[in-house]
Amino acid sequence: MSTIERAEVFVAGPGRNFVTLRITTSDGVTGIGDATLNGRELSVASYLQDHLVPLLVGRDPARIDDMWQYLYRGAYWRRGPVTMTAISAVDTALWDIKGKVAGLPVYQLLGGRSRDGVMVYSHASGRDTAELLDDVTRFQELGYKAIRAQAAVPGVGGSYGVRKGAIYEPAATSLPDEQPWSTEAYLRFAPTYLEAVRDHAGPELHLLHDVHHRLTPIEAAAFGKSVEAVRLFWMEDPTPAENQDAFRLIRQHTTTPIAVGEVLNSIWDVKDLITNQLVDYVRTTVVHAGGISHLRRIFDLAALYQVRTGSHGATDLSPVTLAAAVHLDLTVPNFGIQEYMEHAPETMEVFRSGVTLADGMLNPGEAPGLGVEYDEKAAARYPYDPRYLPVARRLDGSVHDW
Ligand code: CS2
Ligand code: MG
């Protein structure tokens, strides 16, 4: 029987910071998993290096579900982003190994194709509406069928999702950047630019928007109602989701579809949202919600309630997560859409991925396993450089949800 011979944790900064786990078996087969938690990378690296790696060595890499249960229940302290990101990395690496041992791409192990490709959405943004419209045109010309639109709110430096430069990166400072926020100004302005995008782009574009946790339930209800004529594909994270019940209020007032889940990390965190039809898309991810094994359980629960998948896929989720997500997205019956932000060239130098984009759809390639290899020599040229996500403050100085 093959056993886990070693597990290595790599912390590096190619283009941005990533934490990557590589497991090597006694047969010399390697598998990799993403363990990146933006702004808290070293916590996961330590959880892996100091607490999980000693448990992995000598165990059977083929027993993926047993390993998941052993690490989840064995921790005693369950759930949470750090624990679940560490477990995710182990799970993903073991699926990579299983695919390589079987000589099959992971999607074949998950039941084979249900679709020809994975529809993705890109990210148009602008410092004002005119710049946003130009960016939407650019992505339409690149063949994207779905585009997220975000613009800076006049006078509000803390607007979410406005790209500065080629690659969008919110964790850009060595200490949290404290950014001003005005809900009133956002509620006055955002509907106007979303209407402008719909008028500009036409009726067929799948148009998405990320509220990014900024509104109260009744504000979110009013916002959803105000953009119903725009026919959004979804409004994302309209209100913080710790209180899953809060979404009942939004649902009572608007038919604008809702997407939630990128900051959630277990089936328990989304159970009520799904079983009460409080959301239309679940955004949990391979890297933060327990790996391929747990994410497929979340997606199967969602399918029972006609909730579709819409996994998070920002650049702070590594190409390993993107590849694993595409393998899973290819197979699940209730696939909705996959977020896709192009990674920096330095990132792709370190993570050599077989994922391809054509006609607004991703495919994972046919290589056994996930189809991503980690180049540790290249990674060594990009040291980890601590970066923090911003903090939002209302105009009166009190902390708000960023
Ligand atoms: C955003 C992310 O892509 C999204 O939907 O919510 O950009 C998020 O802000 C970052 O992943 C945080 O690290
Ligand atoms: Mg989001």
Side-chain angles (χ1 to χ4, degrees), residues 155-229:
V156 178
S159 304
Y160 164 71
V162 181
R163 190 180 64 244
K164 300 178 182 78
I167 302 282
Y168 174 67
E169 177 50 73
T173 49
S174 54
L175 285 174
D177 177 24
E178 303 204 357
Q179 301 176 350
W181 172 253
S182 163
T183 294
E184 296 75 10
Y186 167 80
L187 288 174
R188 283 195 300 272
F189 181 61
T192 69
Y193 72 69
L194 291 170
E195 284 159 19
V197 171
R198 177 57 75 200
D199 293 346
H200 175 80
E204 289 179 20
L205 177 73
H206 296 303
L207 175 55
L208 302 86
H209 180 68
D210 193 346
V211 182
H212 216 261
H213 322 279
R214 304 283 173 104
L215 302 179
T216 65
I218 199 64
E219 290 168 346
F223 174 78
K225 207 169 179 173
S226 73
V227 295
E228 281 180 359

Side-chain angles (χ1 to χ4, degrees), residues 121 148 160 210 212-213 236-237 262 283 312 339:
Y121 69 89
R148 188 187 80 176
Y160 164 71
D210 193 346
H212 216 261
H213 322 279
E236 178 183 336
D237 286 329
E262 70 180 54
R283 283 186 45 76
H312 183 206
E339 179 173 6

